[in-house]
Amino acid sequence: MANAQADGQAGGQSGGRAGGRTGGQWYPPEWPERIRALATGTLAPVAPKRAATVMLLKDTGDGYVVHMLRRRASMAFAGGAYAYPGGGVDPRDDDLHVRWAGPPRAWWADRLGVGETAAQAIVCAAVRETYEEAGVLLAGPTPDSVVGDTTGPDWEADRAALVARETSFAEFLDRRGLVLRSDLLGGWTRWITPEFEPRRYDTWFFVAALPEGQRTRNASTEADRTVWIAPGEAAAAYDRGELLMMPPTIATLRQLTAYTAAAQALEAATARDLTPVLATARLDEGEVVLSWPGHDEFTRHVPNGGAPA
């Protein structure tokens, strides 16, 4: 599944070539026209699709690092952008039986702000996408275990079937007799693609620690590079314009710099506010003002016929 699609689109990023860049953030050339159309009522927003993305963490001798993927530069959408494993929710996972460990579905429903079946599907999407794109599976044969190495040919065949949507994640878990470890996930934040975008996602961001015995690999056909990088180092590279990222990506990286260990970030997730972050755009004396509530660094002023400033 498109790893940057849910992540990038949540913050607002269309396909095609970019029109401007501030630091490591892109602003597509079609944004001003679409924003003006939305403000004047000639553009009707599309309904966002549910999605999930996971910030996979690993402790090192000097703190901890986060797993990131870089989309191929040739991709029409967000080429060259760094993001986390993630993608859309599979509706088939809404109500199929899933062996479940950790907080019950009712708890997750309250935490994510949705119904119980939707909560199951969102958590399933987070675990599935991490497996599809990073080869890491947050599930095990018992409620207190996780699988070991998932790089064998039988595992790869199952992963490919999930990517092709030939099977649902619930069906995959059931056939292998695996228990989904929802207790290994922490809800971190929620971003919704701006209303002026043609493709919209309602994306829940999670944190998780790399399970002992498992290792990541670049399993995504849309990524040309994967890295383990300290959140502060990645944020600094973004500020220098060296790493391209969408607003939710750099925002979450900055939030992660407050912690020195994966366990600290996971513990902090329990108290995180999951009120959706939705960009707003308004016309101010002919100028378009684009902002994300609570994230002033992304505010941009677009004059008539001009580029974002």
Side-chain angles (χ1 to χ4, degrees), residues 205-300:
F205 286 68
F206 296 85
V207 289
L210 179 69
E212 185 176 353
Q214 293 194 36
R215 55 192 176 92
T216 58
R217 58 193 176 93
N218 183 7
S220 172
T221 59
E222 297 182 358
D224 61 7
R225 184 189 184 200
T226 62
V227 295
W228 283 102
I229 187 170
E233 181 183 345
Y238 166 91
D239 290 336
R240 294 191 299 267
E242 297 171 0
L243 297 185
L244 171 64
M245 299 177 199
M246 303 303 112
T249 312
I250 182 58
T252 50
L253 283 172
R254 296 201 197 286
Q255 293 159 358
L256 288 174
T257 61
Y259 311 99
T260 59
Q264 289 181 356
L266 285 166
E267 182 178 357
T270 61
R272 292 278 308 171
D273 182 6
L274 296 188
T275 300
V277 177
L278 173 63
T280 61
R282 72 179 192 276
L283 290 175
D284 186 2
E285 297 182 353
E287 179 182 67
V288 172
V289 180
L290 177 63
S291 61
W292 279 261
H295 300 272
D296 292 342
E297 73 167 293
F298 305 129
T299 299
R300 292 294 178 268

Side-chain angles (χ1 to χ4, degrees), residues 31-165:
W31 270 13
E33 181 180 352
R34 295 187 63 84
I35 291 170
R36 292 186 180 94
L38 179 67
T40 57
T42 58
L43 175 68
V46 299
K49 298 179 180 179
R50 297 173 300 166
T53 190
V54 177
M55 299 179 286
L56 192 61
L57 311 177
K58 179 176 69 172
D59 288 316
T60 69
D62 299 316
Y64 74 97
V65 289
V66 59
H67 183 69
M68 303 190 76
L69 307 91
R70 183 179 68 184
R71 285 178 60 82
R72 296 183 185 277
S74 60
M75 298 296 294
F77 166 76
Y82 280 78
Y84 313 114
V89 168
D90 186 343
R92 294 176 296 179
D93 291 331
D94 276 41
D95 50 14
L96 292 177
H97 174 72
V98 174
R99 295 181 179 87
W100 193 273
R105 293 164 180 79
W107 183 93
W108 278 108
D110 182 67
R111 183 76 180 105
L112 302 179
V114 296
E116 288 189 34
T117 57
Q120 172 178 292
I122 292 165
V123 172
C124 279
V127 177
R128 186 197 71 237
E129 290 289 341
T130 306
Y131 178 48
E132 287 184 9
E133 298 190 340
V136 171
L137 184 58
L138 305 178
T142 64
D144 58 356
S145 66
V146 292
V147 298
D149 188 6
T150 62
T151 59
D154 57 333
W155 285 105
E156 179 57 26
D158 280 345
R159 193 193 67 80
L162 287 168
V163 171
R165 296 296 179 261

